[in-house]
Amino acid sequence: MKKLGYLSVIALMAFTFQSCNSNSKNSNDADSLAMDTTMHSDTTGAMAVDQDDTEFAGKAAVGGMAEVEFGKIALSKSTNAEVKAFAEMMVNDHGKANEELKTIATSKNIALPTSLDEEHTKKMNDLNKLTGRDFDKEYVNAMVDGHKKTLDLMEKEAKDGKDAELRAFASKTAPIVKAHLDKIQKINDSMK
């Protein structure tokens, strides 16, 4: 009879232990589903980041990666010295900004994209098909368009961003993007 009592207690303990593990697993699954690219401060110690700030970081990361990748293509394909100099500036300046953004995002548990989106991938493929003056014109047009969008993105975050570090990053980066836009517009005008 004692053996039956011990077995019952062990079975009850095992059942209770299994139930606790099952509840905790389900709770963790629910938490992970509730979290998108940001983590909650109660589970990681990091501050939760506003959704708009998270979206800004993602868009800025993709745009920065595109500037670097397109610049690398221009360095190998362009026949225009001004375009090559601009492309080198893109690789350097946007490369530094990308690293700074990664550091900020890591500290806030924001998962940044690691590859280009569909729009930028298509543009990269289109650029890779071109040569000579056709390439230069298309690259310059892409840089004018991209820098206009990036400047708008940075200025909006600098004004409306809720996260102080991302807002500061945007405020610091916006004048650099504006200088790039001014430079590429001059190159564009000289090519007409």
Side-chain angles (χ1 to χ4, degrees):
M1 191 68 158
K2 277 188 173 183
K3 287 183 182 179
L4 186 58
Y6 287 127
L7 285 175
S8 297
V9 169
I10 290 171
L12 181 61
M13 288 175 50
F15 178 74
T16 303
F17 179 73
Q18 180 62 31
S19 294
C20 288
N21 279 345
S22 173
N23 287 344
S24 115
K25 182 180 179 205
N26 290 341
S27 172
N28 287 340
D29 289 346
D31 284 346
S32 67
L33 290 174
M35 290 183 223
D36 54 338
T37 57
T38 60
M39 301 293 178
H40 298 283
S41 60
D42 59 341
T43 58
T44 65
M47 296 294 290
V49 178
D50 181 77
Q51 184 63 33
D52 289 341
D53 288 332
T54 301
E55 287 175 17
F56 159 78
K59 287 177 182 177
V62 168
M65 282 188 291
E67 299 294 344
V68 170
E69 291 306 313
F70 297 174
K72 288 177 182 177
I73 295 168
L75 286 171
S76 68
K77 293 187 124 205
S78 179
T79 58
N80 182 310
E82 283 186 296
V83 170
K84 281 188 177 246
F86 183 83
E88 188 171 342
M89 184 170 56
M90 293 303 90
V91 171
N92 293 332
D93 290 356
H94 286 280
K96 288 176 191 171
N98 292 348
E99 289 305 313
E100 185 178 346
L101 181 58
K102 280 182 196 175
T103 300
I104 294 168
T106 299
S107 74
K108 297 178 179 306
N109 292 318
I110 299 172
L112 295 178
T114 57
S115 60
L116 297 179
D117 60 8
E118 188 176 325
E119 173 189 351
H120 288 96
T121 299
K122 181 184 180 324
K123 179 55 74 179
M124 184 171 68
N125 292 336
D126 291 346
L127 286 171
N128 273 317
K129 294 175 188 172
L130 299 172
T131 58
R133 186 159 167 78
D134 290 338
F135 171 83
D136 289 340
K137 288 178 77 171
E138 190 60 32
Y139 173 73
V140 168
N141 287 336
M143 291 297 97
V144 169
D145 183 54
H147 280 84
K148 284 179 181 177
K149 290 176 182 174
T150 301
L151 183 58
D152 287 346
L153 181 71
M154 293 296 162
E155 287 177 340
K156 182 179 183 322
E157 180 68 14
K159 180 180 169 229
D160 300 330
K162 307 246 183 324
D163 183 87
E165 281 184 275
L166 289 172
R167 196 171 56 247
F169 169 80
S171 294
K172 179 176 125 181
T173 306
I176 297 166
V177 173
K178 174 74 168 102
H180 291 167
L181 179 58
D182 292 344
K183 177 85 173 158
I184 198 64
Q185 285 179 321
K186 285 180 186 171
I187 293 170
N188 189 36
D189 291 344
S190 74
M191 293 175 68
K192 291 183 179 178

